[in-house]
């Protein structure tokens, strides 16, 4: 299922001239399934991509998208679940959600989707800024901007999450308000080792719509039939490019070969990774570092050894789940420093 913005843009790029309608959450009061800035797309032939609720609103949003398409205008839908006696939509979250339905047209430059897609495909972050329209505003008057991080007309640190920005109106002009959405490339997980136990790790990560690279120079490992949808790199550690290494957010070292595992560690040591894991018990991690001529302090991101969170279980899928839980937690700053440090217990 396509839910990440990258995936929505990939689908849009396959048919950019179609009469797509964008649904974007403009504001949330109280609790909601998705937050401000979340998006989904409706194709005129019927398919929809993404979700803005747990399935409670999508049927009505499809109807609203048709209204936007037929009326060639913005449509504002308000969904109020604060009254628990009103079972109209059964949101279950108890909040108030405003959702804009916006036709993507050539006249409104398709709300800068092309620029956004190009940036993400190049691994470059930025900000998508929508000038919030009035209900029923003509589709061709809708305005959005995409700014690379360095060109944003506001401090990038102010918008680590989606938010509102009121533009200073020029003399005599009407005040306008922007919905600012930070746009970041999909997380990149590099799996160093393409053995049997790497398969469930790659498969589960694909469900998260991450970029997955499986690196293993051995002929009988990291085969395309075992890692569908993954980038396979049959290159020794010394052959990995700086651009590839710089693109990695999370890495798991699991060749089951002391020589191959040790060879990759110097390449990973100073990378600003969110998470780095060494498969195997603590004593193997110690032996691995000794083989590589390194210490735990030589890493920008302290390696997790053993890998993953201690969720219990010993099968490949169990371990994959524990590693991905740690990756997800690290991506969002939820993993405590103590959980990153090497310990004597945990997964093997």
């Amino acid at each position: 299922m396509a839910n990440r913005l990258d995936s929505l843009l990939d689908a849009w790029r396959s048919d950019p001239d179609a009469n797509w309608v964008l649904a974007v959450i403009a504001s949330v009061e109280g609790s909601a399934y998705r937050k401000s800035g979340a998006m989904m797309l409706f194709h005129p032939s019927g398919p929809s991509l993404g979700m803005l609720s747990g399935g409670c609103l999508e049927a009505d949003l499809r109807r609203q998208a048709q209204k936007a398409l037929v009326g060639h205008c913005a449509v504002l839908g308000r969904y109020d679940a604060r009254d628990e006696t009103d079972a109209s939509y059964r949101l279950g979250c108890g909040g108030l959600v405003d959702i804009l339905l916006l036709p993507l047209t050539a006249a409104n430059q398709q709300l800068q989707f092309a620029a956004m897609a190009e940036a993400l495909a190049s691994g470059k972050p930025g900000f998508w800024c929508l000038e919030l329209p009035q209900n029923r505003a003509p589709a061709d008057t809708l305005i959005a901007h995409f700014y690379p991080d360095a060109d944003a007309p506001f401090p990038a640190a102010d918008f680590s999450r989606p938010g509102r920005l009121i533009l200073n109106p020029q003399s005599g002009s009407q005040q306008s308000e922007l919905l600012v959405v930070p746009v970041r490339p999909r997380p990149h997980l590099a799996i160093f080792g393409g053995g049997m136990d790497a398969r469930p790790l790659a498969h589960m990560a694909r469900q998260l719509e991450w970029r997955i690279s499986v690196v293993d120079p051995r002929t009988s490992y990291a085969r395309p039939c075992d890692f569908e949808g993954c980038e396979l790199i049959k290159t020794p550690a010394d052959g990995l490019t700086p651009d590839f290494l710089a693109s990695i957010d999370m890495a798991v070292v699991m060749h089951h070969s002391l020589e191959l595992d040790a060879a990759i560690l110097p390449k990973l040591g100073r990378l600003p990774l969110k998470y780095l894991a060494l498969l195997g018990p603590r004593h193997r991690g110690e032996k691995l570092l000794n083989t590589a001529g390194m210490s735990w302090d030589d890493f920008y991101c302290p390696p997790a050894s053993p890998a993953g969170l201690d969720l219990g279980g010993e099968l490949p899928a169990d371990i994959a789940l524990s590693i991905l839980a740690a990756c997800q937690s690290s991506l969002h700053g939820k993993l405590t420093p103590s959980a990153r440090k090497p310990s004597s217990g945990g997964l093997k």
Side-chain angles (χ1 to χ4, degrees), residues 221-237:
Y221 290 76
R223 300 179 301 174
C225 60
D226 294 327
F227 294 96
E228 183 181 354
C230 301
E231 175 186 19
L232 303 182
I233 301 177
K234 308 294 291 182
T235 304

Side-chain angles (χ1 to χ4, degrees), residues 86-122:
D86 183 357
S88 301
Y89 301 106
R90 294 181 173 85
L91 290 176
C93 298
L96 175 67
V97 182
D98 282 345
I99 299 177
L100 283 166
L101 288 300
L102 309 172
L104 302 180
T105 71
N108 65 32
Q109 298 181 317
Q110 295 165 326
L111 298 184
Q112 293 291 294
F113 267 37
M116 192 161 41
E118 182 178 349
L120 287 180
S122 303

